Amino acid sequence: MADDLGELIHPTDPPGTSGHVVSLRVLEPPSPGRDFLDCEFVVETETVRDSFPVYVASDDLDDWAEALEALEGNRFVAWLNSGRTVQFKIKPVSAGVIAVSVHDGPSLQVAVSVPLFPATGWIEDQRARLEEVRRLFSG
């Protein structure tokens, strides 16, 4: 994990490929009286590096767990699609290929989409990250 509190989401290309990375980094845990995490989406490609601030509530983590179930079934998912924050989408394109997009609709209207070729087992890795981040709410 990075210098922050961890990464809830981190599908990435394996070494020796394009090196695209899309991650959701947890920057600050929930403080007393707040029921959300201060996070940022980071998108890195050969030509683009951008970040999008976002707050993630405990209910959003439940929605991410459901999204992972859908992805396991090779279905398209849109997460954080309430219109209040950055939207995250993953679309299975073909065997071993997903299209990932981050859209900052509420403020900048910027969208970044990248193809990724995540390693086998990437969904299980995302589940493990989810459980680690859930502990921030219970600790």
Side-chain angles (χ1 to χ4, degrees):
M1 302 261 171
D3 296 325
D4 44 45
L5 294 172
E7 294 171 324
L8 171 59
I9 299 172
H10 191 82
T12 183
D13 284 339
T17 61
S18 68
H20 295 165
V21 176
V22 178
S23 62
L24 178 61
R25 295 179 180 159
V26 178
L27 304 175
E28 189 176 318
S31 58
R34 287 179 32 182
D35 64 344
F36 57 87
L37 302 166
D38 184 10
C39 301
E40 72 175 347
F41 276 106
V42 177
V43 179
E44 299 178 55
T45 72
E46 307 89 5
T47 57
V48 173
R49 184 184 195 304
D50 210 343
S51 63
F52 305 87
V54 64
Y55 295 105
V56 175
S58 59
D59 290 346
D60 295 327
L61 298 180
D62 296 338
D63 293 343
W64 179 237
E66 290 176 19
L68 290 172
E69 290 295 322
L71 286 168
E72 194 167 55
N74 207 36
R75 295 187 310 269
F76 167 84
V77 300
W79 183 59
L80 299 176
N81 58 352
S82 67
R84 67 173 167 82
T85 188
V86 174
Q87 185 179 54
F88 181 68
K89 298 177 183 178
I90 298 178
K91 178 182 179 183
V93 177
S94 61
V97 182
I98 57 175
V100 178
S101 66
V102 178
H103 181 239
D104 185 9
S107 60
L108 300 175
Q109 294 294 316
V110 172
V112 179
S113 297
V114 295
L116 292 175
F117 303 84
T120 302
W122 74 274
I123 293 175
E124 290 80 16
D125 177 57
Q126 303 314 299
R127 282 192 179 109
R129 292 171 183 277
L130 172 60
E131 290 311 310
E132 186 175 320
V133 170
R134 281 187 195 269
R135 284 192 277 278
L136 294 173
F137 280 100
S138 61

